[in-house]
């Protein structure tokens, strides 16, 4: 992500954004199968509406344990 | 605060507000690279996994020794963060990135509240009781200490705590 240093989870108090980043991190845990792999996620700095973000494979709104069990 | 710390903080602000400067800085830096990376596939479902945070954002409790900002190679030690204590007991000591936003909401570098939400919602199995604060910007002679002493100690404690997933966050 092209976000400023000091903001790996996003903006202060932006819970939806922070949740979305963590969802992507956990998804990467199950989707990556080789060491050193980097996943670029498409979140633009301060230009996303996180309630409507659809990362292509799954919507953050549809977050549930089942959707995160990708293996 | 001495001049060198003020200078480092000023640079940290510059690279936060001017991404082009940050990019030049990153491109000019030659990181230490591992010759081989051991691979451990995930074997547990997320909803059954215990999660801990390992952050290099300089997070520690207010009553712990702050990270050493006077050693130019950084501070390679770690601080144990107790998840039960309130967020008001946490602070950041790190001059090499601008943490003014993280000072307002530490979850942007140490997402403990979100993980607790995920635990309540059954997305993850549980949040570990202990988490780990380290300092980024480790260079020179401290790289060896970080890899061979600190990382091993933290890994052993994570294992003894039954942690399945370590979430690493930078500053």
């Amino acid at each position: 992500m092209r976000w400023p240093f000091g903001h790996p989870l996003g903006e202060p108090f932006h819970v939806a954004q922070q949740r979305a980043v963590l969802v992507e991190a956990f998804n990467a845990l199950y989707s990556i199968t080789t060491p050193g792999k980097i996943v670029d996620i498409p979140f633009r700095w301060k230009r996303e509406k996180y309630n409507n973000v659809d990362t292509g494979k799954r919507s953050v709104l549809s977050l549930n344990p089942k959707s995160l069990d990708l293996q | 605060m001495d001049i060198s710390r003020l200078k480092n903080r000023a640079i940290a602000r510059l690279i936060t507000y001017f991404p082009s400067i940050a990019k030049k800085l990153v491109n000019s830096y030659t990181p230490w690279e591992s010759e081989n990376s051991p691979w451990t596939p995930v074997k547990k479902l997320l909803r059954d996994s215990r999660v801990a945070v390992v952050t290099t954002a300089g997070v520690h409790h207010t009553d712990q020794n702050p990270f050493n900002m006077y050693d130019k190679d950084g501070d390679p030690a770690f601080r144990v963060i107790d998840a039960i204590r309130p967020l008001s007991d946490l602070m950041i000591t790190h001059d090499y990135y601008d943490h003014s936003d993280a000072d307002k909401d530490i979850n942007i570098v140490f997402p403990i509240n979100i993980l607790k939400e995920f635990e309540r919602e059954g997305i993850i199995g549980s949040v570990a009781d202990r988490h780990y604060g380290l300092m980024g910007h480790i260079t020179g002679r401290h790289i060896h200490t970080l890899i061979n002493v600190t990382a091993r100690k933290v890994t052993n404690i994570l294992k003894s705590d039954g942690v399945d997933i370590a979430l690493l966050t930078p500053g």
Side-chain angles (χ1 to χ4, degrees):
Chain A
M1 290 183 292
R2 292 180 181 175
W3 285 7
F5 285 129
H7 302 77
L9 273 291
E11 300 158 65
F13 309 111
H14 197 328
V15 173
Q17 184 184 49
Q18 295 170 12
R19 287 176 64 101
V21 173
L22 270 191
V23 167
E24 291 300 325
F26 285 131
N27 275 317
L29 184 69
Y30 289 91
S31 65
I32 291 174
T33 55
T34 54
K37 169 86 173 170
I38 295 173
V39 176
D40 278 320
I41 57 177
F43 299 161
R44 299 163 301 174
W45 184 243
K46 295 191 174 180
R47 286 185 291 155
E48 301 288 350
K49 287 184 170 55
Y50 285 89
N51 285 341
N52 298 312
V53 164
D54 187 334
T55 61
K57 288 184 180 173
R58 63 262 149 192
S59 165
V60 172
L61 283 177
S62 69
L63 181 64
N64 61 61
K66 191 72 180 171
S67 73
L68 287 168
D69 295 338
L70 299 180
Q71 60 187 5
Chain B
M1 186 177 295
D2 68 18
I3 295 291
S4 67
R5 288 196 66 183
L6 288 172
K7 185 185 114 189
N8 290 334
R9 286 189 173 193
I11 293 171
R13 289 211 159 211
L14 273 176
I15 62 174
T16 297
Y17 293 107
F18 298 97
S20 59
I21 298 175
K23 194 174 178 184
K24 280 183 185 172
L25 195 72
V26 169
N27 288 341
S28 70
Y29 178 69
T30 306
W32 185 89
E33 288 189 27
S34 171
E35 290 178 0
N36 54 46
S37 302
W39 178 251
T40 306
V42 182
K43 293 176 182 166
K44 249 183 179 177
L45 296 176
L46 188 58
R47 63 169 174 255
D48 297 328
S49 297
R50 188 163 179 77
V51 181
V53 181
V54 178
T55 179
T56 56
V59 178
H60 60 88
H61 286 302
T62 51
D63 54 4
Q64 291 172 324
N65 284 334
F67 290 96
N68 182 356
M69 291 296 122
Y70 295 97
D71 187 327
K72 67 178 178 55
D73 288 334
D75 182 340
F78 67 93
R79 312 290 187 268
V80 177
I81 301 169
D82 182 348
I84 295 170
R85 293 177 64 173
L87 293 189
S88 57
D89 281 0
L90 290 172
M91 64 180 287
I92 295 170
T93 303
H94 202 312
D95 291 347
Y96 299 93
Y97 76 97
D98 178 14
H99 49 82
S100 52
D101 275 349
D103 291 337
K104 296 173 195 162
D105 177 10
I106 207 158
N107 281 282
I108 69 172
V109 294
F110 181 68
I112 190 71
N113 282 359
I114 308 297
L115 287 177
K116 286 178 178 175
E117 280 185 13
F118 281 9
E119 181 187 55
R120 286 194 295 272
E121 295 167 18
I123 294 167
I124 62 172
S126 60
V127 179
D129 295 333
R130 294 192 283 186
H131 305 264
Y132 303 90
L134 292 87
M135 177 193 163
H137 193 85
I138 301 299
T139 60
R141 71 194 196 283
H142 288 329
I143 290 176
H144 180 273
T145 311
L146 180 69
I147 294 170
N148 294 296
V149 180
T150 304
R152 289 175 195 272
K153 281 184 184 171
V154 171
T155 304
N156 286 335
I157 306 173
L158 287 168
K159 283 182 180 173
S160 69
D161 283 351
V163 170
D164 302 297
I165 298 171
L167 178 71
L168 275 58
T169 61

